[in-house]
């Protein structure tokens, strides 16, 4: 290989390592608690006592990170969830209750997702009552025409009435009622579907002799103490769709600085997102404004403020708002989008490359539906990808064979024109043209795999469908790093190795398979190049160790297939194994 191509190869290798290692270091900084088992704690917001000490950084799962808050949350939930003041919620997707004080939807858990990977884990809590450390709830009500609360209107402390034995299920909506001092009749009707959507209908009847002006509103209140990690590629915080455009701003920190952000566009939906969970208010009819507020003490609020309604005596008005609170399951969000909530499927932050990531996710989900194991589905996905790329790999090996055959001539050109770099390059390009060789052809399969690799990486870190999915044996969560480390004898020794030494079984397999893959490559003429190829597998073993287990399974499978493919193609192209003889090279005609 000529020196220029060798330098280019080394430069490409260095850039690749910088990207992977920089990515790893960045993930360690942004995901400091990635190896910690998530605690079964609520994911809502509350005005809790100020905790002592520095708060831990958010985790990918979200939830309370302070042990003091976790203990207080468990204690507060026992007293706050008093059945006597609540209407039970029982649906396939959600369970919990509605608080008759304020008619708050403040107790919701997702029945399909456990809080931890442990068998029999409690359902993942989404909403928690006001006043608990994980406060997170939705409220529907009315204000005066000037936007202020009024004792004559129901508020957060209003005691609503419910029918005896009421229970909110997909078959049985529940209507709460309250009559004001002037005789105005207020009603809140809640309906729920089989997934994560609650429909709230706010109605007001004015039976009195005087006109009544009310301003309906809907809001979601939460604390950022339970927020999941907010990073450049997976957003967490306030978000929404306005005028058919999804917007993942402002962040919690920006909102704390600005105090309030009122979007001038038409609110299609708005709320708060974590990596796996979200809450959103979606007006059923146009009208109103979307607003985000920082309330202090790590509390935030998303409002839909509807226009003032003037009710003449005897008139009635209704306003319908849909509340989503649950897991960001792609199929569920897409169904709601098809049912009329604009761009709801984009609540999952696929990013700029969703045109490629979503098909990979769709294929992976289909494979899972067939084999019922996401690890096996990843292996089958790898087989499909490598199968589609097999013809390209054949062309790659043909190119490698041609490059191998002309290496002696290239070496001779380098020796002949070692003092004339420009002439050397001209002669090498002339040799490429004469022999019909493209030196970049061998890189094509690698470049084609990069989008697949990145798409799978994004699917593993943001899709709730991959969360807590087991493979075999010790792999209980394909979206998390390999939990067994070589240095602590796979958990037998009572310590956790530092991140850069946390080499798991999968990382070790990655290094070994990559080593044998490189061993099958033709022997390089340059000793320095041989050393680089000898070190590369073990460098990549350290770099890839902190990545999701599912990603390593993909790479290990790909390496094994490459080894098999190389063995087959070597049988078709035995010249790759032959040691080329050094020959002299004559200058091309018309040159030099």
């Amino acid at each position: 290989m000529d020196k220029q191509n060798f330098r280019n190869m080394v430069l490409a290798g260095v850039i690749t390592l910088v990207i992977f290692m920089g990515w790893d270091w960045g993930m360690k900084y942004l995901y400091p608690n990635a190896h910690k088992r998530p605690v079964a704690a609520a994911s809502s917001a509350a005005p809790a006592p100020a905790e002592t000490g520095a708060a831990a950084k958010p985790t990918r799962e979200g939830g309370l990170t302070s042990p003091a808050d976790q203990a207080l949350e468990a204690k507060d939930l026992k007293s706050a969830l008093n059945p006597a003041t609540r209407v039970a919620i029982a649906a396939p997707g959600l369970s919990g209750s509605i608080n008759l004080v304020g008619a708050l939807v403040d107790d919701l858990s997702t029945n399909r997702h456990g809080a931890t990977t442990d068998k029999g884990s409690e359902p993942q809590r989404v909403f928690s009552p006001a006043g608990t450390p994980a406060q997170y709830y939705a409220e529907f009500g009315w204000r005066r025409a000037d936007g202020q609360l009024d004792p004559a209107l129901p508020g957060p402390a209003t005691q609503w009435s419910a029918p005896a034995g009421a229970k909110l299920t997909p078959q049985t909506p529940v209507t709460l009622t309250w009559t004001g001092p002037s005789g105005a009749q207020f009603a809140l009707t809640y309906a729920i579907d089989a997934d994560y959507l609650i429909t709230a209908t706010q109605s007001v009847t004015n039976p009195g002799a005087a006109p009544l002006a009310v301003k309906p509103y809907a809001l979601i209140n939460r604390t950022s103490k339970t927020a999941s990690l907010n990073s450049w590629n997976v957003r967490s915080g306030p978000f929404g769709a306005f005028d058919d455009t999804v917007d993942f701003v402002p962040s919690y920190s920006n909102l704390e600085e600005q105090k309030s952000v009122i979007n001038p566009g038409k609110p299609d939906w708005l709320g708060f997102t974590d990596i796996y969970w979200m809450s959103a208010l979606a007006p059923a009819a146009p009208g109103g404004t979307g607003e985000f507020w920082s309330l202090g003490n790590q509390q935030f609020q998303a409002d839909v403020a509807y226009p003032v309604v003037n009710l003449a005596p005897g008139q009635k008005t209704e306003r319908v708002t849909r509340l989503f609170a649950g897991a960001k399951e792609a199929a569920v969000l897409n169904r709601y989008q098809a049912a009329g909530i604009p761009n709801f499927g984009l609540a999952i932050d696929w990013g700029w490359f969703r045109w490629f990531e979503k098909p990979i996710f769709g294929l992976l989900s289909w494979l899972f539906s067939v084999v019922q194991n996401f690890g096996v589905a990843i292996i089958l996905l790898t087989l499909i990808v490598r199968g589609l790329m097999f013809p390209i790999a054949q062309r790659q090996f043909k190119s490698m064979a041609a490059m191998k055959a002309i290496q002696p001539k290239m070496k001779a050109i380098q020796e002949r024109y070692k003092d004339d770099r420009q002439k050397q390059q001209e002669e090498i390009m002339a040799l490429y043209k004469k022999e019909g060789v493209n030196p970049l052809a061998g890189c094509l399969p690698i470049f084609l795999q990069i989008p697949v690799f990145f798409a799978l990486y994004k699917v593993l870190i943001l899709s709730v469908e991959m969360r807590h999915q087991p493979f075999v044996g010790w792999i209980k969560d394909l979206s998390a790093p390999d939990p067994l480390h070589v240095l602590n004898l796979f958990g037998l020794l009572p310590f956790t190795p530092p991140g850069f030494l946390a080499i798991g079984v999968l990382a070790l397999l990655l290094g070994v398979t990559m080593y044998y893959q490189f061993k099958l490559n033709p022997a390089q003429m340059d000793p320095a190049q041989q050393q680089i190829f000898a070190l590369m597998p073990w460098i990549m073993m350290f770099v890839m160790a902190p990545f999701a287990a599912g990603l390593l399974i993909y790479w290990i499978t790909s390496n094994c297939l490459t080894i098999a493919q190389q063995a087959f193609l070597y049988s078709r192209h035995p010249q790759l194994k032959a040691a080329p003889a050094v020959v002299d090279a004559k200058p091309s005609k018309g040159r030099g």
Side-chain angles (χ1 to χ4, degrees):
M1 178 180 285
D2 66 279
K3 292 182 180 179
Q4 183 64 36
N5 282 337
F6 174 64
R7 278 199 295 268
N8 291 342
M9 186 206 71
V10 172
L11 181 61
V14 170
I15 291 174
T16 301
L17 284 176
V18 168
I19 291 173
F20 276 117
M21 296 183 76
W23 191 287
D24 177 40
W25 290 331
M27 290 301 101
K28 283 190 177 69
Y29 174 77
L30 294 172
Y31 290 73
N33 301 306
H35 294 275
K36 294 183 180 179
R37 176 173 293 185
V39 179
S43 75
S44 12
E51 59 183 83
T52 59
K57 285 190 175 183
T59 64
R60 293 184 67 248
E61 288 278 333
L64 297 170
T65 54
S66 161
D69 273 345
Q70 292 165 8
L72 184 59
E73 174 74 8
K75 179 181 177 182
D76 285 354
L77 283 177
K78 291 180 180 179
S79 58
L81 301 181
N82 180 5
T85 60
R86 292 186 167 269
V87 172
I89 298 174
L94 293 169
S95 59
S97 61
I98 300 170
N99 192 348
L100 291 176
V101 178
L104 305 180
V105 182
D106 62 357
D107 172 30
L108 291 176
S109 297
T110 60
N111 297 328
R112 298 173 188 156
H113 302 276
T116 70
T117 56
D118 296 337
K119 250 187 176 181
S121 168
E122 292 183 357
Q124 174 67 37
R125 177 168 286 277
V126 182
F127 279 7
S128 280
T132 65
Q135 176 175 305
Y136 198 172
Y137 64 86
E139 178 185 333
F140 303 88
W142 297 264
R143 299 186 181 104
R144 295 187 319 216
D146 60 4
Q148 300 300 311
L149 295 176
D150 190 322
L153 304 175
T158 298
Q159 180 71 47
W160 290 75
S161 298
K167 177 184 284 190
L168 179 58
T169 72
Q171 295 76 34
T172 57
V174 169
T175 298
L176 310 181
T177 57
W178 183 79
T179 302
S182 64
Q185 299 167 358
F186 296 84
L188 277 171
T189 300
Y190 290 108
I192 192 170
D193 69 0
D195 294 308
Y196 306 118
L197 198 70
I198 295 175
T199 301
T201 302
Q202 301 166 252
S203 63
V204 186
T205 302
N206 181 17
L212 176 66
V214 293
K215 186 178 177 65
Y217 70 87
L219 66 83
I220 296 173
N221 179 293
R222 73 164 295 170
T223 179
S224 62
K225 290 197 293 184
T226 57
S228 65
L229 183 77
N230 181 40
S231 62
W232 67 272
N233 62 336
V234 183
R235 295 298 308 276
S236 173
F239 78 143
F242 303 91
D243 291 334
D244 297 324
T245 301
V246 179
D247 197 353
F248 284 85
V249 293
S251 65
Y252 287 120
S253 57
N254 289 339
L255 191 54
E256 280 183 324
E257 295 174 2
Q258 301 177 45
K259 303 304 179 187
S260 66
V261 173
I262 299 176
N263 196 294
K266 171 181 68 72
D268 300 316
W269 50 269
L270 73 158
F272 298 98
T273 182
D274 295 302
I275 293 178
Y276 294 132
W277 329 107
M278 62 175 275
S279 60
L281 299 166
T289 59
E291 307 169 0
F292 294 108
W293 301 87
S294 173
L295 307 179
N297 195 27
Q298 294 183 268
Q299 294 185 47
F300 298 87
Q301 193 164 290
D303 283 23
V304 176
Y306 291 113
V308 175
V309 178
N310 292 295
L311 288 173
Q315 282 190 330
K316 180 180 178 180
T317 183
E318 286 188 349
R319 172 63 72 171
V320 178
T321 308
R322 292 161 293 191
L323 167 66
F324 178 97
K328 292 161 67 172
E329 298 171 10
V332 172
L333 297 180
N334 290 336
R335 282 202 300 271
Y336 290 142
Q337 179 172 313
I341 304 180
N343 293 316
F344 212 51
L346 298 183
I348 299 176
D349 188 14
W350 295 106
W352 294 343
F353 299 103
R354 63 176 179 268
W355 57 272
F356 191 76
E357 294 160 8
K358 293 181 75 172
I360 291 293
F361 172 72
L363 176 58
L364 194 61
S365 298
W366 179 80
L367 291 170
F368 173 73
S369 70
V370 175
V371 299
Q372 295 300 303
N373 184 297
F374 261 113
V376 176
I378 290 172
I379 293 173
L380 293 177
L381 173 70
T382 315
L383 287 168
I384 292 171
V385 171
R386 295 309 301 260
L388 293 175
M389 287 171 40
F390 186 79
I392 300 172
Q394 284 185 300
R395 287 196 290 272
Q396 173 199 14
F397 269 70
K398 288 180 182 178
S399 174
M400 288 173 63
M403 287 294 294
K404 185 75 172 179
I406 68 171
Q407 275 187 2
K409 296 180 181 180
M410 292 173 59
K411 189 74 173 177
I413 290 173
Q414 291 168 358
E415 291 296 326
R416 178 180 292 273
Y417 300 107
K418 59 184 177 182
D419 297 326
D420 188 345
R421 300 289 303 174
Q422 183 176 352
K423 186 68 175 177
Q424 182 186 116
Q425 290 300 315
E426 289 176 357
E427 290 296 327
I428 290 175
M429 294 306 295
L431 179 63
Y432 287 158
K433 185 175 181 180
K434 177 183 176 182
E435 300 291 341
V437 173
N438 181 359
L440 298 179
C443 301
L444 185 58
I446 297 174
F447 284 116
L448 288 178
Q449 284 194 78
I450 290 175
V452 179
F453 182 85
F454 181 78
L456 186 58
Y457 164 80
K458 198 72 182 283
V459 166
L460 283 165
I461 67 171
L462 62 76
S463 63
V464 72
E465 290 83 353
M466 295 296 298
R467 173 184 179 265
H468 294 177
Q469 285 292 340
F471 178 39
V472 293
W474 73 99
I475 305 296
K476 305 296 184 184
D477 187 353
L478 287 165
S479 67
D482 188 343
L484 294 187
H485 304 136
V486 176
L487 285 185
N488 65 3
L489 299 182
F490 311 112
L492 293 178
L493 299 180
F495 79 96
T496 301
F500 68 98
L501 292 177
I503 305 301
V505 177
L506 293 178
L508 198 59
L509 288 174
L510 175 68
V512 170
T513 55
M514 189 173 287
Y515 170 78
Y516 281 107
Q517 177 187 339
F518 283 1
K519 286 287 285 184
L520 283 176
N521 285 337
Q524 303 300 321
M525 297 177 64
D526 194 311
Q529 189 175 348
Q530 292 178 20
Q531 292 177 1
I532 289 176
F533 275 100
L535 289 173
M536 186 70 71
W538 314 116
I539 294 174
M540 293 306 298
M541 178 182 71
F542 281 92
V543 170
M544 292 300 299
F547 279 64
L551 207 59
L552 270 66
I553 290 171
Y554 169 81
W555 201 324
I556 292 166
T557 306
S558 181
N559 287 346
C560 292
L561 293 174
T562 300
I563 291 170
Q565 196 175 57
Q566 283 176 319
F568 169 75
L569 291 174
Y570 279 146
S571 67
R572 300 280 302 274
H573 304 283
Q575 66 270 34
L576 279 172
K577 289 288 187 181
V582 178
V583 298
D584 191 15
K586 296 179 181 180
S588 57
K589 290 184 179 181
R591 296 178 181 273

